[in-house]
Structures are given as C-alpha cells and as structure tokens.
Amino acid sequence: GAVVSQHPSRVICKSGTSVKIECRSLDFQATTMFWYRQFPKQSLMLMATSNEGSKATYEQGVEKDKFLINHASLTLSTLTVTSAHPEDSSFYICSAGGVTEAFFGQGTRLTVV
Amino acid sequence: AQSVSQHNHHVILSEAASLELGCNYSYGGTVNLFWYVQYPGQHLQLLLKYFSGDPLVKGIKGFEAEFIKSKFSFNLRKPSVQWSDTAEYFCAVNERRDDKIIFGKGTRLHILP
C-alpha cells in the first residue's frame, strides 16, 4: 500500500522554540493531507487540512499562527509548531490519500520542556 | 458536529476469547465508517471500512464489523483473538460530503498469551 513518512518520530524542544514536522507521501501525489493531534487517552483530533498550493484549512479552536502548515509540493506537507509551550506536548500524526483509504504517518511525539 | 464514541478504553482478553469493541457515531447523514488499527511501533492502518451495501463487513486478519443504521453503531468483532491482535483500535467516521475523518478515542486491546 501507499506509504506516508513522517519525520521526526520524536522531538524534544525547549519552551519558546519552534519545531517543524514533515509529512511525505512516498509513492503517490497528495493534493490534500491532514494533520491530527492526539493527547494521552484521547481521540485523534483533526487540526487542519493541508492543501497543496493554497492555504490550509484549520478546524475550529486551532490557532493558525501557532500551527503553521505549508504544503509546497504534491508530496510534502510541513507542520511548524511555533513558540512551543509544554501544553503543546502531544502526538502529531499526518495522513494523506482519499477517503477510500487514508494512509497515515508513524506520528511525531513532541515534548516541550 | 459529528462525534465518535468508543465504549471501552482498555480491554484485556485471553487468547481464543471472542472480541467485540463498541462504536457509536452521532452524525445523522450519510457516512462512511472505518476501523483502524495501530500495532505497537507501527503506522495506523485500515482494518476494514463500510461505504454501502452489505452491513456486515469483513476485514483483514479475521475481523468483521456490523453497521446498524438504526443504532448509529459500527461494532468490531473477532470470534477468536490472538496474541498478535494486541494493538490500539480506532473507530472513525467520514461524512460523504468531504474528506475529513473523525476518530474515536481508541481502545487499547491487550491479549494475554
């Protein structure tokens, strides 16, 4: 099946710094990718829809200026957590592919200290 | 807004026991339904899906799920679990009119050898 690669798998950063997470579709082109966030024992919450060549669409309650999304090519979307704080510590997952079968990255565990 | 409820957060079973994981959704319109599984250290992957037709859906590894429209349910079943079924299972729903997939909180399944 199609593969989506997410990098890094784990990152620890200092409070106030920014962290970039990459999501790549390895063997198919993805005009749309999705970014999710998962708190411990919570659901995967959709944060935003990343659209190639245009602005991302954010879900209600997600800060656009804090979670910057760039989808510059058909195979790459990036999520940048700006001025990270400990409450941003979470598990972030991207997905690509259509509804018939979405493919997920392995996730990124972000810890802000 | 639509939501997905998974009744069990953590299930522990012995090998060969039968499994049923509950899932209910709140959206009243036309939906697609999914079960995803995440094995330890691996990507989230599709277990089975329902779009239309026979409400009893067969998936990989002996799993099946039944869509009961009147109950807004899509429960996952397996007659006899194996140790290798230890994983986290997510029920998910997608409104037919867009590509967003909404997830339940997940059920962590632990099979005792």
Side-chain angles (χ1 to χ4, degrees):
Chain A
V3 177
V4 173
S5 176
Q6 195 172 334
H7 178 79
S9 56
R10 290 180 182 272
V11 59
I12 300 173
C13 71
K14 290 185 177 180
S15 188
T17 61
S18 295
V19 173
K20 181 185 283 188
I21 302 169
E22 293 186 348
C23 179
R24 293 181 185 274
S25 56
L26 296 184
D27 53 1
F28 67 102
Q29 294 182 329
T31 55
T32 305
M33 292 185 177
F34 300 91
W35 287 96
Y36 295 84
R37 179 176 182 179
Q38 185 181 28
F39 294 100
K41 299 182 181 180
Q42 298 285 326
S43 177
L44 283 159
M45 300 297 298
L46 180 64
M47 298 175 65
T49 303
S50 172
N51 303 299
E52 189 268 334
S54 65
K55 290 183 180 180
T57 306
Y58 290 82
E59 295 301 299
Q60 191 172 10
V62 178
E63 298 176 61
K64 302 178 184 181
D65 295 331
K66 177 154 200 66
F67 299 101
L68 299 180
I69 291 173
N70 186 291
H71 194 152
S73 78
L74 287 170
T75 59
L76 175 64
S77 174
T78 60
L79 169 68
T80 301
V81 183
T82 63
S83 187
H85 291 285
E87 57 265 30
D88 299 323
S89 297
S90 191
F91 192 61
Y92 294 86
I93 303 178
C94 69
S95 77
V99 170
T100 53
E101 187 166 355
F103 298 97
F104 291 82
Q106 72 271 40
T108 298
R109 172 79 56 195
L110 170 64
T111 303
V112 184
V113 298
Chain B
Q2 58 180 293
S3 65
V4 181
S5 299
Q6 289 183 243
H7 313 307
N8 314 99
H9 296 303
H10 195 186
V11 173
I12 301 173
L13 294 172
S14 296
E15 274 194 310
S18 64
L19 170 72
E20 181 160 2
L21 300 182
C23 174
N24 286 91
Y25 63 96
S26 65
Y27 185 65
T30 304
V31 296
N32 300 316
L33 298 158
F34 308 84
W35 275 95
Y36 284 88
V37 60
Q38 188 168 29
Y39 297 102
Q42 296 190 26
H43 296 215
L44 202 63
Q45 58 185 283
L46 183 67
L47 198 56
L48 49 79
K49 62 190 176 189
Y50 171 80
F51 281 16
S52 64
D54 188 344
L56 185 61
V57 180
K58 305 271 185 200
I60 60 172
K61 304 187 180 184
F63 285 92
E64 65 178 32
E66 185 175 11
F67 170 49
I68 303 179
K69 189 175 182 179
S70 60
K71 295 185 179 180
F72 296 90
S73 71
F74 191 54
N75 292 355
L76 180 71
R77 299 195 292 249
K78 185 169 182 177
S80 176
V81 294
Q82 299 172 307
W83 178 78
S84 57
D85 293 325
T86 294
E88 188 153 16
Y89 293 80
F90 294 90
C91 181
V93 172
N94 152 254
E95 292 181 53
R96 293 259 176 105
R97 61 193 174 119
D98 65 35
D99 285 340
K100 296 177 190 177
I101 299 176
I102 307 299
F103 287 84
K105 291 187 178 183
T107 297
R108 194 174 295 277
L109 176 64
H110 186 68
I111 306 300
L112 302 173

